[in-house]
Amino acid sequence: MTALLRPATESDLIHIVAIERGCFADPWSEESFRRLLPGHPAIFQVLVLPPENRVAGYVIAFAVGPDAELLNVAVEPQSRGKGYAGQMLDALLIDLRGRGVKAAFLEVRNSNEAALGLYSSRGFREIGRRKNYYRRPVEDALVMRRVLEVAEGDEKRSAGSFADR
């Protein structure tokens, strides 16, 4: 099935909040998402599935200078296992590289094996731990980084092609 990734809009919020509540033990509020809609410097995109154009996931990141922080990647429970999270993450990394970002960072629950597998498969590596970072339940966060910059003298490798995974 072909999915479309597009900027989030006000009318998507009801679906985004439902996905958030279905995915996370400590979900963001609708107002938190509303503040990130167009006009804000966040990259906030939704995954839309045809033919009904249903919002099935979303991705949020900030890019500031050479660094980016990935805030959320979420796919509704009934659409998991189809590669949508990976597709959103791949598109986001390409977008970030196009914006001149050299490194992307994220935090992930140390027990979230599915997310850890996804991020590792896209070249993210653990660089630290934040003790008791998550509240519900209390749990450490692993800090991960993906270098997007091509090393000097290695012009044959393209950061945009994810050759360094």
Side-chain angles (χ1 to χ4, degrees):
M1 178 183 305
T2 302
L4 170 71
L5 198 58
R6 64 162 172 77
T9 65
E10 179 88 22
S11 63
D12 297 325
L13 288 177
I14 190 167
H15 306 290
I16 292 165
V17 170
I19 293 167
E20 176 80 1
R21 289 181 180 152
C23 292
F24 300 106
D26 192 12
W28 289 12
S29 69
E30 181 175 335
E31 184 56 32
S32 295
F33 289 109
R34 187 179 313 283
R35 284 182 275 183
L36 298 175
L37 288 173
H40 190 279
I43 300 164
F44 186 6
Q45 297 182 321
V46 292
L47 178 81
V48 180
L49 299 179
E52 65 277 357
N53 292 322
R54 178 173 52 85
V55 174
Y58 63 89
V59 61
I60 303 171
F62 283 109
V64 180
D67 294 329
E69 183 172 1
L70 178 58
L71 301 179
N72 266 353
V73 175
V75 174
E76 65 184 358
Q78 66 267 31
S79 295
R80 291 186 185 153
K82 298 179 172 127
Y84 295 136
Q87 290 173 23
M88 288 191 296
L89 186 54
D90 290 345
L92 176 64
L93 292 170
I94 290 167
D95 184 345
L96 293 173
R97 180 67 179 123
R99 293 170 187 246
V101 169
K102 306 295 184 201
F105 298 85
L106 59 84
E107 290 95 12
V108 60
R109 283 184 184 272
N110 65 325
S111 66
N112 190 340
E113 292 180 21
L116 287 167
L118 170 67
Y119 299 139
S120 294
S121 76
R122 285 350 191 240
F124 282 88
R125 300 293 176 247
E126 182 180 341
I127 61 166
R129 179 180 292 259
R130 293 195 172 148
K131 200 85 172 134
N132 301 322
Y133 180 79
Y134 293 102
R135 300 180 297 173
R136 294 184 200 138
V138 174
E139 189 173 351
D140 293 355
L142 300 180
V143 179
M144 301 183 84
R145 177 183 67 202
R146 161 73 196 270
V147 176
L148 302 176
E149 183 176 23
V150 177
E152 282 195 38
D154 200 8
E155 291 81 14
K156 292 182 181 179
R157 290 177 62 194
S158 168
S161 71
F162 310 116
D164 62 342
R165 279 194 250 171

